[in-house]
Amino acid sequence: NAGVMQNPRHLVRRRGQEARLRCSPMKGHSHVYWYRQLPEEGLKFMVYLQKENIIDESGMPKERFSAEFPKEGPSILRIQQVVRGDSAAYFCASSPPMDKPYEQYFGPGTRLTVT
Amino acid sequence: DQQVKQNSPSLSVQEGRISILNCDYTNSMFDYFLWYKKYPAEGPTFLISISSIKDKNEDGRFTVFLNKSAKHLSLHIVPSQPGDSAVYFCAAGNAGNNRKLIWGLGTSLAVNP
């Protein structure tokens, strides 16, 4: 039973470029969460999605950031026109629909570096 | 506004002894709490959770205690092993709040052989 998959593991972008981060949840999990961890800080919630629906995006910056979880395929976190302050580790987590919904299982993260 | 606080950035313990990691919270609406362990360059790994209707939950060497009146929880690891060396995060959520977890800044535990 594969865990949460994230790719790429490392991503380098120049200022102004776009970054696309992908997340495949665990099999049977229909809920996906994205978190960001800045250096020396804890994880900050960004967005919670179910298939084809954004449930809570209260942690997402209002501009340049978007997320989707289509009916088919992985969840995508998209950052347009990246700036140096976007450099961070981005973690995706998934949870099952009913049983123990509060337990979130994390992927290995994508480390984004903006040069 | 740090709703979940882990006031000790680091802790060092001898192998075989007890490790106690502490976490305080300010939001009385939180009704479930989780502990995660994180190694460098990896995602957090779920360890143990507790609902606000309980005051203790035990799983092998790991026990979590919840004191609602003090808004305080702790994770006990007994006996501590060198493989337990990692950063431990406390997280809290509210069932009616879309499962969003609020995280502490973590405590780095070093278990010395």
Side-chain angles (χ1 to χ4, degrees):
Chain A
N1 185 15
V4 178
M5 311 281 282
Q6 286 188 253
N7 67 80
R9 292 293 306 273
H10 300 274
L11 183 61
V12 179
R13 284 287 178 267
R14 289 201 177 101
R15 278 182 300 168
Q17 289 185 320
E18 178 180 287
R20 277 181 176 252
L21 289 65
R22 284 176 288 277
C23 169
S24 297
M26 287 179 70
K27 188 175 181 180
H29 287 193
S30 55
H31 302 254
V32 166
Y33 315 81
W34 285 93
Y35 293 87
R36 175 166 66 175
Q37 185 181 26
L38 295 169
E40 308 301 324
E41 292 191 15
L43 278 74
K44 300 284 190 207
F45 168 82
M46 298 182 75
V47 61
Y48 162 38
L49 310 103
Q50 293 180 23
K51 284 283 186 182
E52 298 185 279
N53 284 306
I54 296 175
I55 307 302
D56 184 342
E57 57 181 348
S58 58
M60 288 272 274
K62 293 290 187 284
E63 296 177 349
R64 303 188 297 109
F65 285 73
S66 62
E68 62 176 10
F69 189 16
K71 188 176 179 181
E72 301 291 336
S75 175
I76 306 287
L77 179 67
R78 182 182 177 205
I79 311 172
Q80 295 179 291
Q81 298 174 338
V82 296
V83 301
R84 287 221 173 96
D86 297 333
S87 296
Y90 291 83
F91 292 97
C92 168
S94 70
S95 66
M98 292 296 292
D99 182 41
K100 298 181 182 177
Y102 311 127
E103 295 172 13
Q104 298 178 13
Y105 297 86
F106 283 78
T110 294
R111 274 140 192 89
L112 173 65
T113 302
V114 179
T115 61
Chain B
D1 177 23
Q2 194 70 23
Q3 297 185 63
V4 177
K5 300 176 184 177
Q6 294 178 256
N7 292 319
S8 298
S10 63
L11 175 68
S12 183
V13 169
Q14 206 65 25
E15 181 179 5
R17 307 293 291 268
I18 183 171
S19 295
I20 300 176
L21 297 101
N22 294 302
C23 178
D24 297 291
Y25 62 96
T26 56
N27 189 340
S28 57
M29 298 299 292
F30 289 143
D31 55 15
Y32 61 93
F33 306 88
L34 306 93
W35 284 94
Y36 284 80
K37 177 168 78 171
K38 187 180 182 300
Y39 294 117
E42 294 185 13
T45 301
F46 170 74
L47 272 179
I48 191 168
S49 64
I50 187 165
S51 162
S52 60
I53 63 173
K54 295 186 175 182
D55 55 18
K56 178 183 174 181
N57 189 24
E58 190 172 354
D59 184 0
R61 297 187 296 115
F62 301 91
T63 303
V64 56
F65 296 92
L66 175 63
N67 182 333
K68 283 179 61 179
S69 61
K71 294 191 177 68
H72 175 85
L73 63 154
S74 61
L75 174 68
H76 293 214
I77 307 173
V78 182
S80 301
Q81 299 173 354
D84 295 329
S85 298
V87 178
Y88 288 78
F89 289 96
C90 170
N94 174 273
N97 194 20
N98 289 327
R99 308 182 181 196
K100 181 168 63 178
L101 291 180
I102 307 300
W103 294 70
L105 298 183
T107 296
S108 178
L109 172 66
V111 180
N112 306 307

